[in-house]
Amino acid sequence: RKAGLGFLYRRLTSGLFYVTQVKEGGPAAREGQMRQGDTLTHVADTPLKGVSTKELAGMLLGEQGSEVALTVQRSGGKEHVLLLTRGGREPPAQAQAQAR
């Protein structure tokens, strides 16, 4: 079964992708690594400059439980490599209970 990472993004004029929202209860929120405002620069070792939105969607989707490495750039230009596990969304009550 295909699963995603639980965040929304938009393509920038630079050809990279900006994280507009990290969905509550999704893998990116549960793992607490991704932030709204991060700029995606790589998926695994693949640079995203020039990649279409549709191509990126295909790179982010994968088998539920599989891991993917994302490189993000944060304000100040520092890059971070995030290892996220693809999966479904948890019900909000369950996600809130885990956050405590």
Side-chain angles (χ1 to χ4, degrees):
R1 182 173 155 219
K2 296 285 184 185
L5 297 166
F7 65 91
L8 301 177
Y9 53 87
R10 68 178 169 88
R11 192 162 193 266
L12 300 170
T13 55
S14 67
L16 297 176
F17 296 86
Y18 177 83
V19 177
T20 58
Q21 180 185 357
V22 178
K23 294 182 178 182
E24 182 181 342
R30 281 197 308 270
E31 296 181 24
Q33 299 180 65
M34 181 159 288
R35 301 178 188 165
Q36 182 178 343
D38 284 348
T39 300
L40 295 168
T41 63
H42 293 77
V43 174
D45 293 327
T46 304
L48 296 179
K49 193 164 193 151
V51 168
S52 73
T53 302
K54 186 175 181 177
E55 288 171 317
L56 177 58
M59 296 167 134
L60 296 176
L61 285 175
E63 290 301 313
Q64 186 159 342
S66 64
E67 292 183 330
V68 62
L70 303 178
T71 303
V72 299
Q73 193 171 49
R74 298 211 165 121
S75 58
K78 188 169 182 182
E79 287 194 342
H80 300 269
V81 177
L82 314 178
L83 187 61
L84 298 175
T85 303
R86 294 175 176 106
R89 182 183 159 107
E90 287 186 9
Q94 192 175 9
Q96 289 173 358
Q98 286 186 352
R100 293 183 186 161

